[in-house]
Amino acid sequence: MVQAVAAVVLLMFTAIMGAASAATDAPDGTLLSSAPCPPRTDQSFEQRGAQIRTRLADEKKLAAEEGFVMPDADPAALLRAIGTPATHAERVAYAGFACHQIVYASGGLRIAGFLYKPVDTVGRKLPVVIYLRGGNADFGAMQAWTYDGFYDFLKAGYVVLATQYRGGPGSEGEDGYGGADLDDVRALVPLARSLGYADTNNVFLWGGSRGGMQAYMLLRAGFPARAAALRAGSADLRTNGAARPALVDVYRWPIVDYDSVPAAKLRERSAVLWVDEIETPMILLHGSADWRVRVDQALEVAQRLSAARRDFELHVYAGDDHALTLNRNDAIARAIGFFNQRRAVQ
């Protein structure tokens, strides 16, 4: 039932955003449209618990199909992940906050995304979290109410902006997997500035998996973030492809000219080779049982950041998976704390 509801919401998103709409000559970051997110179908506390258990079982099965062995979930960690009826009800309600589906201009294209904000923003200047999703195109696409971590950022006083990237649901163009789609993230900064209540002196990145790869690349190129949090950030596409050959095709179709210079394309997307060039503070969050992006990558990034005497933290969650299913709440709390300590004084 939950998957069916998610599919309906995704279809509604695509229809509302108008993927077939004409391109735009508006400047990058221009907010072209904004509409309230479709009403959510509230999930009960019991359904939430069942969903988490199913997700863990499915992840373990998928890992086995690719030759990886995941441990059974620690019962105490599982109970913490599920939480309590009270915390679940609070996150579901989003009381005092609003979700909007947006379309904005980037590189002459209409790009879909989301804006999460307090209902009342009068006279306020709020720090901004830009969320970088994982996956590619429709795989791993965002849906309005499935990322309850956004509620925690909102409660902590942040505005959240997120992009589906070009080629994603509701967006024009084609995904570049670390190519021109990086501009879709950059365009969110002038968009935030146009809102009036967003403090663009305090912009932070929160990226997961492929979104972590994007964050590394953006920071290397000078993206104006005060700090970044990376959950299972993909930092070495070379070893990803060697460990999981099926990923080579994932890289091949979106990355422009991949077949002509594959080694070069992978190097420019592999932060382990150049992460010491980044001076932006970072917090790395990774599960030790992550078979999609091995924890070795986070460890190598941390080693290089330490050698370069950079400002960073590393947190490895024993036995947890790629999505940090068992420790997501703790990871988000740590990211918020890391951001709070590095905010510029207004």
Side-chain angles (χ1 to χ4, degrees):
M1 177 61 73
V2 173
Q3 290 180 339
V5 170
V8 170
V9 172
L10 185 56
L11 288 172
M12 290 176 65
F13 183 88
T14 301
I16 292 172
M17 295 299 99
S21 300
T24 177
D25 57 2
D28 287 359
T30 301
L31 183 60
L32 301 174
S33 68
S34 176
C37 295
R40 69 183 299 163
T41 301
D42 288 347
Q43 183 184 48
S44 71
F45 175 68
E46 292 73 20
Q47 288 172 325
R48 170 68 173 167
Q51 181 189 52
I52 289 177
R53 290 185 173 90
T54 299
R55 182 183 301 160
L56 289 167
D58 289 346
E59 189 70 357
K60 190 172 183 178
K61 180 181 178 181
L62 289 169
E65 290 174 357
E66 293 202 28
F68 299 94
V69 178
M70 289 187 63
D72 293 332
D74 175 70
L78 178 57
L79 289 177
R80 288 195 300 269
I82 294 172
T84 67
T87 57
H88 173 75
E90 180 183 3
R91 286 195 171 98
V92 166
Y94 267 76
F97 304 110
C99 167
H100 293 271
Q101 295 177 333
I102 62 172
V103 175
Y104 65 98
S106 175
L109 301 172
R110 299 168 60 89
I111 305 300
F114 289 97
L115 165 64
Y116 297 83
K117 59 180 283 293
V119 172
D120 181 11
T121 57
V122 177
R124 304 180 73 180
K125 277 289 187 181
L126 303 170
V128 180
V129 169
I130 292 179
Y131 178 73
L132 284 70
R133 53 160 279 213
N136 55 79
D138 289 348
F139 176 73
M142 294 172 48
Q143 296 145 17
W145 302 112
T146 57
Y147 288 80
D148 57 11
F150 293 164
Y151 173 78
D152 296 322
F153 284 111
L154 291 168
K155 187 178 179 181
Y158 290 80
V159 171
V160 178
L161 281 165
T163 178
Q164 295 279 32
Y165 309 126
R166 58 191 62 192
S171 294
E172 296 176 334
E174 297 181 0
D175 192 356
Y177 209 80
D181 46 298
L182 295 176
D183 290 337
D184 303 338
V185 182
R186 295 185 178 100
L188 290 175
V189 176
L191 189 157
R193 189 175 297 114
S194 73
L195 297 175
Y197 52 81
D199 177 11
T200 51
N201 290 320
N202 280 299
V203 173
F204 301 86
L205 293 179
W206 168 237
S209 193
R210 172 258 182 92
M213 177 195 78
Q214 307 268 111
Y216 285 128
M217 296 179 74
L218 287 160
L219 295 173
R220 185 191 191 194
F223 187 87
R226 299 285 305 175
L230 298 97
R231 187 268 304 160
S234 182
D236 193 345
L237 273 66
R238 304 166 308 159
T239 58
N240 282 350
R244 301 178 59 207
L247 285 178
V248 174
D249 286 334
V250 174
Y251 302 153
R252 175 174 285 115
W253 71 261
I255 297 177
V256 177
D257 295 329
Y258 176 85
D259 285 324
S260 62
V261 283
K265 296 296 182 180
L266 295 182
R267 283 197 301 271
E268 67 187 18
R269 290 165 171 79
S270 296
V272 294
L273 301 175
W274 40 257
V275 70
D276 49 358
E277 298 177 24
I278 298 174
E279 298 185 2
T280 307
M282 288 184 279
I283 179 170
L284 314 176
L285 307 146
H286 219 112
S288 70
D290 184 353
W291 59 276
R292 296 177 183 271
V293 176
R294 295 178 65 89
V295 69
D296 297 0
Q297 295 186 26
L299 298 177
E300 186 170 355
V301 166
Q303 183 179 31
R304 290 176 176 268
L305 291 175
S306 179
R309 305 180 68 83
R310 300 294 187 236
D311 178 7
F312 80 99
E313 291 182 13
L314 169 66
H315 299 273
V316 176
Y317 295 95
D320 211 348
D321 62 10
H322 185 60
L324 293 182
T325 302
L326 296 174
N327 293 279
R328 193 173 186 85
N329 294 335
D330 183 80
I332 292 170
R334 290 182 184 277
I336 291 170
F338 192 82
F339 291 171
N340 286 344
Q341 293 172 10
R342 289 155 182 82
R343 283 168 56 175
V345 178
Q346 296 187 28

